[in-house]
Amino acid sequence: MKAKKIGYFLPERKRKKLNFDSFTTLCKAREIIVAPVDLLQSLEDQGPYDLIIHKLTDVITRAQDGDNKAKQMMSNLQEYVRKHPHVIVLDPINAVRKLMDRHQSYQIIQDCIRRNKELKGKVAVPRFFEIKSSSISTQKAAAALKCAQVSFPCVCKPSQAHGSVTSHKMAIIFNEAGLKDVVAPYVAQTFISHNAVLYKLFFIGDQYFTVQRPSLKNFTAGEHSTIFFDSHDVSKPNSSSFLNELDEKDLNRRAIEPESDTLNRLAKVLRIELGMALFGVDVIVENNSGIHYIIDINAFPGYDGVPEFRQALFNHVQQELSKVTNSILPLNSENNCLSSEDESSPKEASIKEILSYDLTEKELCKDGQLRQLKRSLSSSSDTLSDHLRNGQKNEKEFFQKRAAITANSDS
């Protein structure tokens, strides 16, 4: 059997932080080739790849800002994936882009929670509103926040969540006058008191790991000056910022720990909704209500405090490569529809089973088949679950539609 090949594009700092070489060693022991990808060159000459791992948020940002080099890098990757739709990308570029916009990511999570009754009353997103322009007066900004039920104190965060040196530069605003201290575009989010304890959920495929971190102490509205901070500094494992130190009146208050059942349900929902394998979610638990609030979400985080990262990533990669081999039919490169195999072949029977209208989304999720196919789509506008609900069961039509979506997203 031909050896599988994994390509990766990771900034040097990221690669060292993750000790990515140890992951490479695990792969080599199983005869899986791991090699860096030069996105400035054609990937056709470097592949063929079965799976590509990347951290491209900085490149995506530069491309969006008009940087020609970054645009060429993104074009080379997207062109290769378009021509080879069987290639697994961790994670899909369109999915990553959505998390780079804080307002959009909050909206996605909020909508996701509202659609899942099992999370009602247990999980929420703090009230939020985006101020897009600095030309808006302080009075109008305050009125907009009031209308959106965003109350003081609030945390103002840059709208761009990744790819900028200012993405983690934030401010705590205690009153209307403080709004003049922050520069748009930003998302204002109601501050939730949580006794300075943050829970980071690090996702690697079907697994997630919970790591407790320091966080902001309890605050109340009032005539206080704006506090500026870097979110990385206050949530480091050994952070000793004054913002982490509880006031005397809160010292005897015991932080409420998250409920494992609630986190498990949330994890299942987010995996399906985002169609991603490598992401992190910041969760806090409100002091009085015990409600679990999601205050941020990140693509391919640092995984600090997760010593199992390399092994978990290796296990996930093996699982994904196995699914492609065993469950997904090869695509015809000319028309991006099913290859002309005998209809009774085991692979076609497998794909028919996956696309069977009688299977529910919940059943498909049991072994990750739905997530695998959702990640193969280049747009959230058309998912496999949409196909199932509409009763469009023809496999050829499904893949033709997927190919059309891919082409449109690239143009």
Side-chain angles (χ1 to χ4, degrees):
M1 181 181 290
K2 182 181 177 182
K4 298 292 185 181
K5 185 171 184 178
I6 298 173
Y8 68 87
F9 181 89
L10 299 172
E12 183 66 15
R13 181 180 176 184
K14 181 81 171 180
R15 194 171 64 81
K16 289 183 178 178
K17 183 177 182 180
L18 294 174
N19 190 14
F20 195 75
D21 288 346
S22 65
F23 165 76
T24 300
T25 300
L26 289 173
C27 291
K28 287 181 178 178
R30 294 298 182 92
E31 298 184 344
I32 299 174
I33 301 169
V34 182
V37 178
D38 183 354
L39 291 178
L40 288 173
Q41 307 297 324
S42 170
L43 274 67
E44 294 289 351
D45 300 329
Q46 303 175 62
Y49 297 109
D50 298 283
L51 185 146
I52 296 174
I53 301 173
H54 70 86
K55 176 70 173 183
L56 281 166
T57 48
D58 289 354
V59 179
I60 293 172
T61 296
R62 295 200 304 272
Q64 291 174 342
D65 291 341
D67 183 276
N68 289 329
K69 182 178 177 181
K71 288 167 71 174
Q72 184 62 52
M73 294 169 72
M74 294 306 303
S75 176
N76 286 341
L77 174 60
Q78 290 174 315
E79 178 66 11
Y80 185 80
V81 174
R82 186 186 68 80
K83 290 182 177 179
H84 307 277
H86 65 279
V87 175
I88 301 165
V89 181
L90 299 181
D91 277 308
I93 300 300
N94 278 358
V96 172
R97 279 198 179 105
K98 291 176 183 177
L99 297 193
M100 292 177 64
D101 183 315
R102 270 203 174 88
H103 184 266
Q104 185 178 12
S105 67
Y106 291 157
Q107 192 65 59
I108 289 171
I109 298 171
Q110 183 171 269
D111 293 345
C112 171
I113 292 170
R114 286 173 176 171
R115 288 196 302 271
N116 288 271
K117 294 181 180 179
E118 60 185 6
L119 298 179
K120 187 176 181 181
K122 294 180 177 293
V123 181
V125 178
R127 298 281 185 176
F128 62 94
F129 188 82
E130 183 177 32
I131 301 296
K132 298 182 179 181
S133 173
S134 296
S135 63
I136 298 176
S137 68
T138 299
Q139 293 75 18
K140 287 185 177 180
L145 297 190
K146 184 177 181 180
C147 185
Q149 297 182 298
V150 176
S151 57
F152 296 108
C154 65
V155 182
C156 292
K157 311 176 181 182
S159 294
Q160 185 173 328
H162 291 278
S164 169
V165 294
T166 62
S167 293
H168 300 281
K169 304 294 184 182
M170 304 180 183
I172 305 171
I173 307 296
F174 295 92
N175 47 61
E176 179 179 323
L179 292 174
K180 70 179 186 304
D181 298 329
V182 289
V183 179
Y186 64 86
V187 178
Q189 186 180 64
T190 297
F191 177 80
I192 304 294
S193 288
H194 52 285
N195 239 44
V197 179
L198 170 72
Y199 299 93
K200 285 187 170 289
L201 275 56
F202 292 115
F203 287 78
I204 307 171
D206 291 333
Q207 287 185 283
Y208 77 91
F209 302 85
T210 304
V211 177
Q212 182 175 320
R213 291 280 185 82
S215 186
L216 297 172
K217 65 179 183 178
N218 304 325
F219 288 108
T220 57
E223 296 304 313
H224 309 299
S225 299
T226 298
I227 296 176
F228 299 94
F229 67 99
D230 187 307
S231 60
H232 280 166
D233 293 338
V234 299
S235 61
K236 287 181 179 178
N238 300 313
S239 176
S240 58
S241 168
F242 77 96
L243 294 174
N244 302 134
E245 299 174 4
L246 291 173
D247 294 337
E248 187 175 352
K249 62 182 177 61
D250 294 321
L251 290 176
N252 294 325
R253 181 193 291 271
R254 185 176 180 180
I256 302 176
E257 295 184 358
E259 299 175 357
S260 58
D261 286 348
T262 299
L263 294 184
N264 288 338
R265 290 171 185 163
L266 174 63
K268 290 179 181 178
V269 168
L270 288 179
R271 288 192 195 104
I272 301 300
E273 185 69 26
L274 298 176
M276 295 177 65
L278 304 174
F279 62 98
V281 178
D282 291 352
V283 175
I284 58 174
V285 183
E286 187 176 27
N287 286 339
N288 298 319
S289 68
I291 293 175
H292 299 55
Y293 281 94
I294 298 176
I295 59 171
D296 240 331
I297 186 164
N298 304 286
F300 206 157
Y303 293 96
D304 288 335
V306 185
E308 307 94 331
F309 169 74
R310 270 73 60 183
Q311 185 65 53
L313 177 61
F314 174 71
N315 293 343
H316 176 66
V317 164
Q318 271 201 315
Q319 184 181 38
E320 292 299 293
L321 292 175
S322 174
K323 287 177 187 175
V324 170
T325 301
N326 299 327
S327 299
I328 304 299
L329 279 171
L331 301 181
N332 184 305
S333 61
E334 293 183 1
N335 56 18
N336 283 309
C337 65
L338 289 178
S339 62
S340 54
E341 294 188 14
D342 186 286
E343 288 196 6
S344 62
S345 69
K347 289 183 179 179
E348 185 161 2
S350 177
I351 200 69
K352 282 185 176 180
E353 180 182 337
I354 294 174
L355 293 175
S356 169
Y357 185 65
D358 294 328
L359 286 176
T360 65
E361 183 170 315
K362 183 177 181 181
E363 289 170 330
L364 284 166
C365 294
K366 287 181 181 177
D367 60 1
Q369 293 179 90
L370 178 58
R371 286 192 295 279
Q372 165 64 24
L373 287 175
K374 279 193 74 171
R375 280 197 293 274
S376 72
L377 292 166
S378 294
S379 171
S380 61
S381 64
D382 187 17
T383 65
L384 178 58
S385 53
D386 293 331
H387 238 61
L388 295 174
R389 283 192 291 270
N390 294 333
Q392 298 168 325
K393 296 178 286 184
N394 184 279
E395 302 98 318
K396 183 174 180 179
E397 177 189 353
F398 176 76
F399 282 106
Q400 285 176 328
K401 197 169 185 180
R402 183 183 76 171
I405 293 170
T406 304
N408 290 335
S409 67
D410 289 339
S411 59

